[in-house]
Amino acid sequence: MNDQLREEDIGLWRRTHYSSEINLSNEEREVTIMGWISSKRDHGNIQFVIVRDKYGDIQVMAKKNECPEELFAQFQLLKEHTSLAIRGKVRPQEKAPGGAEIIPSELRVFSIARKAAPFVLQSKTQIGIDTRLDLRAVDLRRNVLQSIFRIRYTVLNACREFLARQRFIEINTPKMIATATEGGAALFPIFYYDREAFLAQSPQLYKEQLTMAFENVFEIGPIFRAEPSRTNRHLSEAISIDVEKAFVDYNDIMSLLERMILHVLDSIKEKNKSDLAALEFQFPNVELPFVRYSYSDLIQLLRESGKEVRWGDDLSPQALKNLPDERTNSFYFITDWPTSIKPFYVKANAMSESGRISESFDLMHGQLEISSGSTRVNRKDELLERMKKQGLNTQSFDYHLKVFDYGMPPHAGFGIGLERLMMAITNIDNIRDVSLYPRDIDRLTP
Ligand code: AMO
């Protein structure tokens, strides 16, 4: 391709400093940096190369006559995205990131970029999402996505930290399952030896069962939903943070959930300051308790605003748009949904007329549903009745129903869509942007 740039193995070369350490505190020090070229400026006798690593950018300045002739010639040939190591001296430079730049003395190219990417890393303008997703690993080098996924990591850690403190233990439940749990969402069938099986829509029944053994459990794992529609808030494979707790009801669980959200937001404020600054958006400010609207009150409000909605209908984002902004511009709960539109495992409120209202909630942010949860049915006869009412084949749930003969505790829980939570936290409109490798009806690669 070009004769003077050669690809080499890493050999004995090792990084001595990250970009975050290239500053005046290391002035005059010999350093070895490693990363990718995020941009290059060719001024003839001066070559500026910006090297990006996991913490940010480093400016490297090669000047003709100041660096060895062969090295300067190599710098002239370098292209964006090439992965490499550079040795050199740290020198003050006001205009460079960290107030310092590197004057190179040696170069080792690991992998030459063979093509120009269809987008530039610095671009702040919108690039078509499909173009980016087709080359996702390269897209993920962009600053905005680096910040989003660092925040995502904080979110996951903060949830684990919070739940551990509340004496939950982390579980992993089967993802290849025999029966559906979430009525509304379609299943992905798979071959399981000589039988049909499905990818799990939710760990619902397993997390409920495990409250019998461990009382307080949580799982962070994938859920699979065959979503036929193309929307900005549905994936075919999402990550769910599922929580289930024994000897409580949905009110305790709403309180647990809002405290967990608060802990997540506080952790991000503490750990992701520069990411938040880079994303330039209004970080959600929350106060506890979150506002709680009952489903029936919201239906009333929507009707008053002129929207035609019937009690018993699901609440679409379109319908919720009719609510005044001050009610919905942050996190809030919609509670006490009609039993008829909730899955069979959701407990009906015994005080409501013929059990038509359930002990359930959705956590919302604006018009986006972040989580749903409920008190669960813990009596076998009641569960059987609910299954029959929903037209389910109760025999196929035998494996689940039989544990109810052995002292199922009262229990309640919730499931949060991690990507939905990330959308709310980072103000991102398209759910595909907050998933590393999104899956939807049109996309199964990369
Ligand atoms: P539900 O079906 O409401 O409830 O799902 C819980 C949360 O998961 C997220 N979610 C999705 N995110 C992206 N793409 C999808 N296709 C998708 N489907 C769901 C949403 C949603 O609020 N078992 C119950 C939870 C429980 O009661 O514990 C359940 O699965 O954020």
Side-chain angles (χ1 to χ4, degrees), residues 64-221:
K64 204 170 182 164
N65 306 328
E66 201 180 89
C67 76
E69 205 170 303
E70 193 190 340
L71 185 64
F72 186 79
Q74 288 176 331
F75 263 79
Q76 284 179 306
L77 295 172
L78 289 175
K79 296 240 160 50
E80 263 179 36
H81 292 292
T82 292
S83 88
L84 77 182
I86 292 173
R87 277 196 186 129
K89 213 170 235 178
V90 179
R91 206 171 67 174
Q93 172 51 262
E94 252 178 41
K95 290 182 192 149
E101 64 184 0
I102 291 179
I103 307 300
S105 54
E106 234 180 310
L107 171 73
R108 180 161 285 206
V109 173
F110 299 130
S111 173
I112 297 169
R114 284 174 167 79
K115 284 185 178 167
F119 44 82
V120 285
L121 295 184
Q122 285 72 15
S123 175
K124 285 205 171 157
T125 53
Q126 278 297 326
I127 307 149
I129 187 150
D130 279 310
T131 309
R132 294 195 289 105
L133 290 178
D134 285 344
L135 214 53
R136 186 59 160 165
V138 180
D139 183 34
L140 289 166
R141 288 181 179 160
R142 294 166 60 232
N143 280 341
V144 62
L145 291 172
Q146 290 270 308
S147 290
I148 286 173
F149 284 94
R150 277 195 292 261
I151 291 175
R152 180 186 188 271
Y153 183 60
T154 304
V155 171
L156 288 171
N157 277 340
C159 289
R160 287 202 165 92
E161 201 175 77
F162 176 85
L163 291 166
R165 251 189 250 151
Q166 305 290 321
R167 298 167 186 252
F168 280 75
I169 67 163
E170 187 162 0
I171 54 167
N172 297 96
T173 63
K175 299 303 156 212
M176 296 187 282
I177 58 163
T179 54
T181 55
E182 312 304 319
L187 287 157
F188 281 111
I190 53 168
F191 292 112
Y192 191 74
Y193 304 103
D194 58 347
R195 271 163 290 169
E196 186 183 52
F198 306 97
L199 295 178
Q201 295 166 311
S202 153
Q204 184 63 38
L205 304 186
Y206 292 102
K207 67 173 178 171
E208 285 191 54
Q209 291 197 8
L210 291 173
T211 61
M212 295 180 77
F214 303 110
E215 295 199 20
N216 304 351
V217 295
F218 78 96
E219 173 163 8
I220 300 179

Side-chain angles (χ1 to χ4, degrees), residues 181-182 185 201-204 207 223-225 227 233-244 342-343 345-346 362-363 369-374 376 413-421 431:
T181 55
E182 312 304 319
Q201 295 166 311
S202 153
Q204 184 63 38
K207 67 173 178 171
I223 56 171
F224 303 93
R225 312 246 169 145
E227 301 280 356
R233 52 178 210 287
H234 288 97
L235 293 169
S236 315
E237 178 174 346
I239 299 293
S240 169
I241 305 164
D242 268 277
V243 167
E244 203 68 23
K342 285 288 173 188
Y345 53 79
V346 173
D362 280 4
L363 174 68
E369 179 195 316
I370 308 292
S371 170
S372 55
S374 58
R376 322 301 192 181
F414 64 79
I416 303 179
L418 173 63
E419 293 83 2
R420 298 267 183 99
L421 179 61
I431 195 164

Side-chain angles (χ1 to χ4, degrees), residues 167-168 207-217 244-253 256 347 359 374-376 378 406-413:
R167 298 167 186 252
F168 280 75
K207 67 173 178 171
E208 285 191 54
Q209 291 197 8
L210 291 173
T211 61
M212 295 180 77
F214 303 110
E215 295 199 20
N216 304 351
V217 295
E244 203 68 23
K245 186 168 164 66
F247 306 112
V248 292
D249 75 4
Y250 74 137
N251 285 309
D252 305 286
I253 289 295
L256 183 81
K347 188 176 163 67
E359 296 193 7
S374 58
T375 313
R376 322 301 192 181
N378 72 312
Y406 300 91
M408 177 63 87
H411 59 284

